[in-house]
Amino acid sequence: MHIQIIYQKSQKLCFPHIFNCIFVLIQKVMKKLLYTSLFIVALISPKVKAQYQPKNVSKEDLKKAQKWVDTTYKNLSQDEKLGQLFIVALYTNRGEDYISQVRNIVTNDKIGGLILMQDDAAREINLVNEFQQKSKVPLMIGMDAEWGLYQRIATAHKFPWAMTLGAIQDKNLVYQMAAKIAEDCHRMGINWDFAPVVDVNTNPNNPIIGNRSFGSEVNNVISSALSYSKGLQDNNILAAIKHFPGHGDTSTDSHLDLPVVSHTIERLNAVELAPFKALMNKGIGGVMVAHLYVPNLESGKGIPASVSKNIITGLLKDKLGYKGLIITDALNMGAVANKYQPGELDAMAFKAGNDIMLFSQGVSEGKKLIQKAIDKGEIPQSRVEESVKKILLTKYFLGLTQYTPKNPENINKDLNNDSHIQLVQNLYSNALTLLKDEKKLLPLTGKQIYYVPLEEAPYQTFANRLGNNVIIKKAGEINTIPAGSTVIVGFHKDNSTAYKPYKISAESKKVLSDLTKNQNIILNVFGSAYALKDIDISKVSTVLVSYENNDDSMNATADAFNGKTKIWGKLPVLVNDQLKPGMGIERNTSPQTNTK
């Protein structure tokens, strides 16, 4: 205010030009001081929850953390600071030449981290140990482990997909699952699980999200994702909510091309953005930005969110106030990689406001282009300081300054044992959703049951667990089943990956229709609930959704059929006009089970 008054007087004293220069200079100094003070407060204040901090962190811990960050940052060259902004992929199934290339990038470009891909856990541990010892600043080690390390390491145990978890009513079980994933991550030397997905899957035909989403209801997505994130971060593994600003209603796979989300601002706020807004002040350490074109958030035609300054800086950082780490989705994905040169994409992403460029295809080129933009004044050096200090602080809080090499011995057994099986079967058991049971056919009462397995996936585990009272009949043998029998029809869908089609064949639909004419039918879907989208279940007495087709799911389902476990899951998605979110009949264990 005083400055403004002096400025007004100066105009009368005939030296407006000189004073205007002084005024602008003072403004710049004050702005710099304000920015610095706000940045320091944002980093160290216990009240700021959007930057990850361990539980029960003390003021003394915060001071030590800040001291390490300041000292480390000060001792880094500009090239080393820029290196912190990059995470590259490490595969062990691409040969030694590829691994040597990664080794050179770690050594020469001094990158900030690695994302572990397929497929040898012991080899990955040895390489991480080697690379950590070579790095001046500890590496952040990440992995896509939405359904556990199995997502990248086939010898690990598979946890349920998010869609299955969305059916579970006791969200503490989701927390327990994430805590177990965190334990597995620590065993591998992983610090960051790029999960959970918080996209609201409102499009049954979504080719890339689908099973990876907790469902089509915003509140269920929020509660499930919060439990998942806390399960990770309470156990000192960083979470990352993704894919901002919302990938749930897309019909294009962003690994292949650029999806478009054309919803209005009102719809985006109510659905796509809602989980991010609800979760980002809960201390969740990372937000991953998608390769999506959202016209109502980005005026530039065809500009992906991942390189949009309007979306990342304008919306995520400024409007929503997020202060944690912002990371791009993988920069090798077709939605962006096909349109830009290596390095060019990285520079665009950093200029837009990302802190970390994931799966970079051109680290050295990207560093040069970022430095060139800094030299031109297009990117302020303060942006480098902001991002690098956030990265360093997170590394400190994750305990990376005291890195201990991991032991690769027995790693496959440690990632896949009885503790995993017990937890996972409990998760599948709690997800089971009974949509109809008009003739009260469940639980089974010990009488003769017929079982007709349909579709393409294995079914024998389910049949074996059901017991000796079950007679298996193939589709061509249904005429030999006595009229009035209780018949289980199993739709066994291949879930070797999360992206397999869920639709049921015309042949299977006909078998089901024929059986309903003179039998009591229990339809069991070992696959996505969306499989029921165009199935006529009006004459089917009992319908149960198991969500997935694997040994754990089949064993859990058979136990529920036999009355050993309670059924109380709820449908997490809108399937059609008759099958809506929240549907689900509760069925307690059988009296015989309760007396044991």
Side-chain angles (χ1 to χ4, degrees):
M1 185 174 176
H2 290 301
I3 293 172
Q4 290 176 336
I5 293 169
I6 295 169
Y7 176 67
Q8 289 168 358
K9 289 182 179 179
S10 72
Q11 290 178 312
K12 298 178 181 179
L13 295 173
C14 301
F15 51 91
H17 178 72
I18 296 172
F19 193 85
N20 189 51
C21 291
I22 297 171
F23 179 67
V24 170
L25 181 62
I26 291 171
Q27 274 191 321
K28 286 184 176 180
V29 171
M30 290 178 70
K31 187 175 181 181
K32 176 69 175 175
L33 288 171
L34 179 64
Y35 169 81
T36 303
S37 62
L38 286 174
F39 177 66
I40 292 171
V41 169
L43 285 179
I44 68 173
S45 172
K47 294 180 181 178
V48 176
K49 294 184 178 181
Q51 171 95 33
Y52 167 72
Q53 293 178 359
K55 291 171 68 177
N56 305 318
V57 65
S58 68
K59 289 183 179 179
E60 191 61 33
D61 291 333
L62 289 170
K63 287 180 182 177
K64 287 180 182 177
Q66 191 58 45
K67 183 178 179 181
W68 182 85
V69 168
D70 291 340
T71 302
T72 303
Y73 182 82
K74 186 179 178 181
N75 291 331
L76 294 178
S77 67
Q78 178 70 355
D79 185 62
E80 290 169 334
K81 290 170 184 173
L82 294 179
Q84 288 298 302
L85 308 174
F86 295 85
I87 289 178
V88 302
L90 174 63
Y91 292 83
T92 57
N93 61 354
R94 293 190 176 181
E96 289 303 313
D97 288 346
Y98 171 84
I99 289 172
S100 294
Q101 290 175 14
V102 176
R103 183 178 284 112
N104 290 335
I105 293 171
V106 170
T107 304
N108 299 328
D109 287 311
K110 302 169 182 64
I111 56 173
L114 297 165
I115 175 172
L116 302 187
M117 304 297 288
Q118 290 83 356
D119 64 337
D120 185 327
R123 181 79 169 114
E124 286 183 345
I125 287 175
N126 286 328
L127 288 168
V128 168
N129 287 339
E130 175 196 335
F131 296 160
Q132 289 287 23
Q133 289 167 351
K134 288 182 176 180
S135 298
K136 180 177 177 180
V137 177
L139 295 164
M140 184 98 78
I141 307 299
M143 179 183 276
D144 288 311
E146 296 164 29
W147 47 93
L149 275 61
Y150 175 85
Q151 189 170 351
R152 295 293 180 239
I153 300 172
T155 53
H157 201 87
K158 183 193 176 301
F159 289 90
W161 292 323
M163 189 73 77
T164 309
L165 301 177
I168 295 174
Q169 298 308 291
D170 180 3
K171 298 305 177 186
N172 184 53
L173 293 172
V174 179
Y175 179 97
Q176 291 176 30
M177 174 185 130
K180 187 66 174 177
I181 292 174
E183 180 185 313
D184 291 346
C185 285
H186 282 296
R187 180 66 183 84
M188 284 283 296
I190 294 165
N191 324 109
W192 196 351
D193 179 2
F194 298 124
V197 168
V198 301
D199 301 318
V200 183
N201 199 84
T202 57
N203 184 346
N205 297 318
N206 196 320
I208 192 61
I209 303 302
N211 286 311
R212 300 167 64 197
S213 165
F214 293 110
S216 61
E217 297 300 288
V218 169
N219 289 338
N220 187 29
V221 170
I222 292 169
S223 61
S224 301
L226 184 58
S227 294
Y228 190 115
S229 299
K230 283 186 173 181
L232 292 177
Q233 295 196 165
D234 285 355
N235 292 281
N236 219 34
I237 296 296
L238 202 67
I241 50 177
K242 61 186 186 183
H243 306 80
F244 187 83
H247 210 316
D249 187 12
T250 54
S251 54
T252 302
D253 181 352
S254 51
H255 291 86
L256 306 175
D257 206 347
L258 185 66
V260 180
V261 179
S262 300
H263 292 304
T264 64
I265 292 292
E266 291 75 20
R267 153 69 191 234
L268 292 169
N269 278 321
V271 179
E272 278 74 16
L273 290 169
F276 294 97
K277 291 195 287 187
L279 293 167
M280 62 180 50
N281 69 341
K282 304 294 186 186
I284 296 172
V287 168
M288 181 179 286
V289 186
H291 306 309
L292 301 168
Y293 174 44
V294 190
N296 281 310
L297 296 179
E298 170 52 66
S299 57
K301 188 175 181 181
I303 296 177
S306 52
V307 293
S308 165
K309 190 168 185 177
N310 289 330
I311 290 174
I312 300 170
T313 299
L315 177 59
L316 181 56
K317 295 173 74 171
D318 294 345
K319 188 172 181 181
L320 299 180
Y322 184 64
K323 295 179 177 64
L325 289 176
I326 301 171
I327 184 169
T328 68
D329 205 345
L331 294 181
N332 71 324
M333 291 167 63
V336 288
N338 297 339
K339 298 175 175 64
Y340 304 100
Q341 294 298 313
E344 181 185 5
L345 190 57
D346 303 78
M348 292 170 66
F350 183 66
K351 186 183 287 189
N354 290 287
D355 299 304
I356 298 174
M357 278 60 74
L358 178 64
F359 225 114
S360 174
Q361 301 294 285
V363 176
S364 60
E365 298 93 338
K367 287 166 74 175
K368 289 174 185 174
L369 288 172
I370 290 172
Q371 187 58 51
K372 188 175 180 181
I374 292 169
D375 295 339
K376 286 183 174 181
E378 296 171 359
I379 300 175
Q381 179 64 25
S382 58
R383 270 283 293 113
V384 177
E385 181 178 359
E386 175 194 350
S387 291
V388 174
K389 284 191 172 182
K390 279 201 286 183
I391 293 165
L392 293 175
L393 187 62
T394 303
K395 288 182 175 183
Y396 181 92
F397 281 147
L398 291 173
L400 277 163
T401 57
Q402 292 93 34
Y403 179 78
T404 304
K406 304 300 178 182
N407 186 350
E409 290 184 16
N410 300 316
I411 182 60
N412 292 333
K413 185 177 180 181
D414 290 343
L415 298 179
N416 191 346
N417 54 47
D418 289 344
S419 68
H420 295 85
I421 294 169
Q422 185 176 354
L423 172 59
V424 169
Q425 288 192 13
N426 191 33
L427 290 163
Y428 282 118
S429 177
N430 277 269
L432 297 174
T433 304
L434 184 60
L435 297 174
K436 289 180 69 178
D437 194 18
E438 293 171 352
K439 297 181 181 178
K440 301 291 190 295
L441 300 180
L442 290 181
L444 302 175
T445 57
K447 64 182 180 180
Q448 186 71 67
I449 302 291
Y450 292 87
Y451 171 50
V452 181
L454 300 173
E455 294 297 293
E456 73 277 14
Y459 62 85
Q460 199 63 48
T461 297
F462 177 62
N464 293 343
R465 187 84 161 213
L466 277 174
N468 297 325
N469 294 326
V470 176
I471 297 175
I472 299 175
K473 293 287 186 178
K474 296 297 177 68
E477 301 173 324
I478 62 172
N479 291 332
T480 65
I481 301 174
S485 298
T486 297
V487 181
I488 301 171
V489 175
F491 285 165
H492 291 269
K493 298 300 296 180
D494 180 3
N495 64 201
S496 55
T497 77
Y499 314 108
K500 289 283 186 177
Y502 57 78
K503 292 188 177 180
I504 305 301
S505 66
E507 292 80 8
S508 293
K509 290 178 188 177
K510 184 177 188 309
V511 171
L512 176 65
S513 177
D514 289 344
L515 283 167
T516 59
K517 293 172 183 176
N518 56 6
Q519 310 291 7
N520 299 311
I521 303 300
I522 301 172
L523 174 61
N524 201 115
V525 181
F526 290 95
S528 171
Y530 287 132
L532 293 168
K533 188 170 170 50
D534 58 355
I535 302 291
D536 181 7
I537 59 171
S538 61
K539 296 178 182 178
V540 178
S541 164
T542 304
V543 179
L544 186 133
V545 182
S546 297
Y547 297 99
E548 300 182 42
N549 193 84
N550 54 52
D551 286 348
D552 290 325
S553 172
M554 287 189 274
N555 283 329
T557 304
D559 285 350
F561 272 43
N562 288 325
K564 294 180 180 179
T565 55
K566 179 181 177 181
I567 300 173
W568 63 306
K570 304 292 182 186
L571 196 62
V573 291
L574 175 64
V575 175
N576 54 35
D577 291 340
Q578 285 75 45
L579 301 175
K580 298 180 179 181
M583 287 182 63
I585 302 166
E586 292 192 20
R587 185 71 81 242
N588 289 319
T589 55
S590 67
Q592 296 92 332
T593 304
N594 291 334
T595 58
K596 289 182 180 178

